[in-house]
Amino acid sequence: MNPSLASLICVCGVAGLFYLDRDSSVDTSNALWLPIIYLSIIGSRPLSVWLGVSPPSGSNVQLDGSPLDAAVFGLLLAASLVVLIRRRQRVRGFLTSNLPILIYFFYCLVSVAWAYYPGIAFKRWIKAIGDLAMVLIIVTDGHPVAALRRLISWLGFLLLPISVLFIKYYGYLGRGYTPDGEQMNTGVTTNKNSLGLIVFVISLVALWNVRSLITHKDEPNRGRRLLAQGSLLAFCLALFGMADCATCISCFILGGGLILLTGLHVIRSRPGRIHVLCLAIFLVGGMTLLFAGDAGVTHALGRKSNLSGRTEIWAAVIPAVPNSMVGAGFEAFW
């Protein structure tokens, strides 16, 4: 198929998914677009990469970052703070009941004092505040559960079809190479594991939505919304194969299994059984490691028992360890 025609079909398909999934029965805030834009950038590539904007000459991208990206995140953070100030009562209630979050961010702020690059650490702390601000926008919405469902679904409608388009028809955008020179599918991201991660998160919510729509037959506009969420789940399954991320696939199997099992009447009637189910999964995993079954699981996922070349990374790192760090116990460990 011609790439231009494929692009047109993709755009129409994305618009169609948004149209099918519309639901006027739940009114979420328009501020939800702030975390959607924020996560669209975080879950794909920096805006400077999309626009092909080069960093200023003489600057270190790893340390200084991109001025364009900093400006965009600054605007999103400022807009989110305006929203949160208007919702200050709900924000105060949430933060008061979740003090460990504030303690963690306070500790991160204090740790700037002993960082190698305090200025850069402080800028990254401010960026991390953006993560918290976006979460607060979701949880302080009038319908937080519906806002979360809508947020992840809309992210999936945007990112996943475009990922398939890039992989199939724009290889220079949707494919890359591993350090070993093997080709990998990256979609809208820059790494196959990053692609697998966003597909994993979106797939769990899509499965959750599909199960909810199948179970609750009185949901408004159930038929077309089920078609939209089913299509999104199909995109997720297809991209799992394209990304070839074994960790995300195994996590989806576990997470998806829990979502389906907790929907059974025998589990719903006794919520305590969910804890038993999680404990059973934990014990099975522990027993597998105890009886050296991890190699079989690794091979079943299509990976080598030597962690798919990660041992070569250690082989390169160990000789570079300073001699001052190598004592008798350290040598024995290695």
Side-chain angles (χ1 to χ4, degrees), residues 195-249:
L195 177 61
L197 178 61
I198 64 169
V199 173
F200 163 63
V201 173
I202 293 171
S203 64
L204 287 183
V205 176
L207 181 62
W208 176 30
N209 289 336
V210 168
R211 194 210 69 178
S212 178
L213 289 169
I214 291 176
T215 305
H216 301 91
K217 300 184 183 300
D218 57 342
E219 287 280 343
N221 306 311
R222 175 173 171 268
R224 55 177 174 78
R225 290 172 57 201
L226 185 59
L227 178 60
Q229 294 296 327
S231 301
L232 180 59
L233 185 58
F235 273 113
C236 291
L237 297 178
L239 280 167
F240 270 133
M242 294 179 182
D244 191 28
C245 181
T247 303
C248 295
I249 294 173

Side-chain angles (χ1 to χ4, degrees), residues 113 179 184 201 259 270:
M184 62 178 177
V201 173
I259 289 176
R270 300 288 295 274

Side-chain angles (χ1 to χ4, degrees), residues 63-125:
L63 296 180
D64 300 329
S66 166
L68 174 61
D69 296 328
V72 171
F73 283 121
L75 289 174
L76 290 173
L77 177 58
S80 64
L81 290 177
V82 171
V83 173
L84 295 177
I85 289 173
R86 294 179 177 176
R87 303 178 181 177
R88 52 186 173 274
Q89 292 184 348
R90 280 177 282 178
V91 172
R92 187 184 301 114
F94 178 82
L95 292 178
T96 302
S97 59
N98 292 274
L99 284 178
I101 296 177
L102 294 179
I103 295 172
Y104 170 75
F105 274 90
F106 178 73
Y107 169 77
C108 292
L109 177 61
V110 173
S111 69
V112 171
W114 60 77
Y116 284 111
Y117 303 98
I120 296 171
F122 181 67
K123 287 192 292 185
R124 293 183 177 177
W125 180 82

Side-chain angles (χ1 to χ4, degrees), residues 1 3 18 26 65 73-74 93 102 135 178-179 182-183 207 209 213 223 244 248 266 282 296 300 309 316 324 334:
M1 184 184 298
F18 275 98
V26 179
F73 283 121
L102 294 179
V135 171
T178 66
E182 298 179 358
Q183 191 177 73
L207 181 62
N209 289 336
L213 289 169
D244 191 28
C248 295
V266 67
F282 177 78
S324 60
W334 288 113

